[in-house]
């Protein structure tokens, strides 16, 4: 009979106890809406399921971005964890050498998800129509969302659901670049700069009571496979750029932030 090894401990997050109320009273509740009605609009108003009906077996960011993302996952996601890959596709960019308890994928195209070798299970759902996940509370050690947050019309509700399915101390990693399907990105994202988009995702986390203060990661790595003198000269004058890498990271705290401040 095989020996079952328990997953590693989650990152330690200090929680301040309080006898004044139930510690989980406000955890996961939406404190405020970040987006206006106009900010949620898309140029292409057709259902997202129709837009993603045909599989796209391509990567939407370059090799340098993928390397940075995989490195971040290697640093933050421990072996043996249960991971939810939100708005995924045919590839998850998780480090190949790391074994997880399970990886569940979500997306809008079943053919893409079925091709993804890292997924143990997957489900198809349009999060702009239905933001509820069919998982028990505290089901995952980590949730990741790569280069897709710009398409969410109700990010506050989605982030609240992520909080619900995360274990206490679990991590949510949202990564993105400056690439997008322009007609399917929300107005608040289309009209923004790199800086304002980072701040927008920070506000998504802050709109849900109980996440820790979001941490931001930014890097513009050199082209992974091109170190020629000409390429170096082009990079030095801004003519040779790779996809900028941005990530916003927060943890599900043991108590809502509003109570910790009391």
């Amino acid at each position: 009979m095989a020996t079952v090894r328990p997953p590693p401990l989650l990152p330690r997050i200090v929680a301040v106890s309080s006898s004044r109320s139930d510690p989980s009273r406000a955890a996961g509740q939406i404190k405020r809406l970040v987006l206006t009605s106009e900010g949620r609009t898309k140029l292409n108003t057709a259902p997202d399921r129709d837009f993603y009906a045909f599989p796209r077996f391509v990567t939407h960011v370059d090799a340098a971005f993928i390397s940075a993302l995989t490195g971040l996952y290697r640093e933050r996601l421990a072996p043996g964890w249960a991971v939810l890959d939100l708005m995924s596709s045919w590839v998850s960019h998780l480090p190949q050498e790391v074994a997880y308890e399970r990886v569940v994928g979500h997306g809008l195209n079943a053919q893409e998800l079925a091709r993804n070798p890292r997924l143990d299970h997957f489900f198809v759902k349009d999060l702009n129509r239905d933001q509820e996940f069919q998982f028990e509370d505290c089901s995952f050690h980590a949730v990741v969302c790569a280069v897709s947050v710009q398409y969410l019309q109700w990010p506050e509700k989605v982030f609240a659901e992520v909080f619900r399915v995360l274990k206490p101390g679990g991590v949510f990693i949202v990564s993105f670049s400056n690439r997008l399907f322009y007609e399917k990105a929300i107005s608040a994202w289309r009209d923004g700069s790199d800086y304002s988009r980072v701040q927008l995702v920070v506000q998504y986390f802050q709109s849900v009571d109980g996440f820790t203060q979001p941490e931001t990661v930014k890097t513009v790595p050199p082209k992974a496979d091109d170190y020629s003198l000409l390429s170096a000269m082009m990079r030095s004058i801004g003519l040779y750029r790779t996809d900028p890498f941005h990530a916003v990271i927060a943890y599900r705290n043991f108590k809502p932030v509003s109570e910790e401040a009391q």
Side-chain angles (χ1 to χ4, degrees):
M1 182 176 179
T3 301
V4 179
R5 299 178 61 187
L9 295 175
L10 287 163
R12 182 174 182 270
I13 298 178
V14 176
V16 179
S17 62
S18 172
S19 59
R20 296 174 58 182
S21 58
D22 179 355
S24 62
R25 174 178 55 82
Q29 292 185 1
I30 298 173
K31 298 185 291 186
R32 62 184 179 85
L33 296 179
V34 175
L35 299 177
T36 63
S37 296
E38 172 63 26
R40 301 180 198 276
T41 60
K42 298 186 176 187
L43 295 177
N44 183 341
T45 59
D48 289 345
R49 288 287 294 272
D50 294 345
F51 184 80
Y52 295 99
F54 296 97
R56 296 176 174 89
F57 296 111
V58 297
T59 53
H60 299 289
V61 284
D62 64 16
F65 181 101
I66 293 171
S67 177
L69 180 59
T70 300
L72 180 63
Y73 288 164
R74 184 178 291 110
E75 174 187 334
R76 300 298 180 105
L77 309 183
W81 277 11
V83 179
L84 172 60
D85 186 2
L86 206 58
M87 305 177 78
S88 185
S89 64
W90 66 285
V91 60
S92 291
H93 307 306
L94 295 165
Q96 295 182 0
E97 77 279 5
V98 179
Y100 301 101
E101 176 188 302
R102 62 187 172 114
V103 180
V104 178
H106 154 264
L108 280 174
N109 187 282
Q111 290 177 268
E112 290 182 9
L113 296 169
R115 183 80 68 88
N116 190 326
R118 292 309 305 263
L119 302 183
D120 298 296
H121 310 282
F122 69 83
F123 65 101
V124 175
K125 179 188 285 287
D126 184 350
L127 293 180
N128 288 327
R129 295 197 170 191
D130 180 4
Q131 294 81 41
E132 294 186 7
F133 303 146
Q134 301 303 310
F135 299 111
E136 299 291 334
D137 295 355
C138 307
S139 293
F140 297 95
H141 300 88
V143 178
V144 297
C145 179
V147 295
S148 296
V149 68
Q150 61 267 30
Y151 307 118
L152 290 175
Q153 292 179 286
W154 290 98
E156 305 95 337
K157 294 182 179 180
V158 173
F159 276 54
E161 268 295 276
V162 168
F163 182 93
R164 182 184 67 79
V165 302
L166 276 175
K167 297 177 182 292
V171 65
F172 185 19
I173 301 175
V174 180
S175 60
F176 50 93
S177 188
N178 56 5
R179 295 201 193 187
L180 68 160
F181 292 121
Y182 191 80
E183 70 273 28
K184 274 299 183 181
I186 61 170
S187 174
W189 194 276
R190 293 195 314 270
D191 300 337
S193 63
D194 279 3
Y195 175 79
S196 69
R197 290 166 178 169
V198 170
Q199 295 308 306
L200 193 61
V201 178
V202 168
Q203 290 181 65
Y204 292 165
F205 277 108
Q206 293 174 337
S207 72
V208 178
D209 203 354
F211 277 117
T212 59
Q213 180 62 30
E215 170 191 353
T216 61
V217 177
K218 174 184 177 181
T219 180
V220 184
K223 200 71 174 179
D225 56 355
D226 192 346
Y227 297 97
S228 67
L229 177 60
L230 176 60
S231 297
M233 293 174 62
M234 293 177 67
R235 281 196 295 270
S236 69
I237 60 176
L239 295 180
Y240 194 168
R241 295 290 300 276
T242 62
D243 293 336
F245 176 84
H246 300 281
V248 184
I249 307 166
Y251 294 83
R252 171 174 169 160
N253 211 345
F254 293 119
K255 290 172 62 64
V257 174
S258 59
E259 288 197 7
E260 290 189 355
Q262 293 178 359

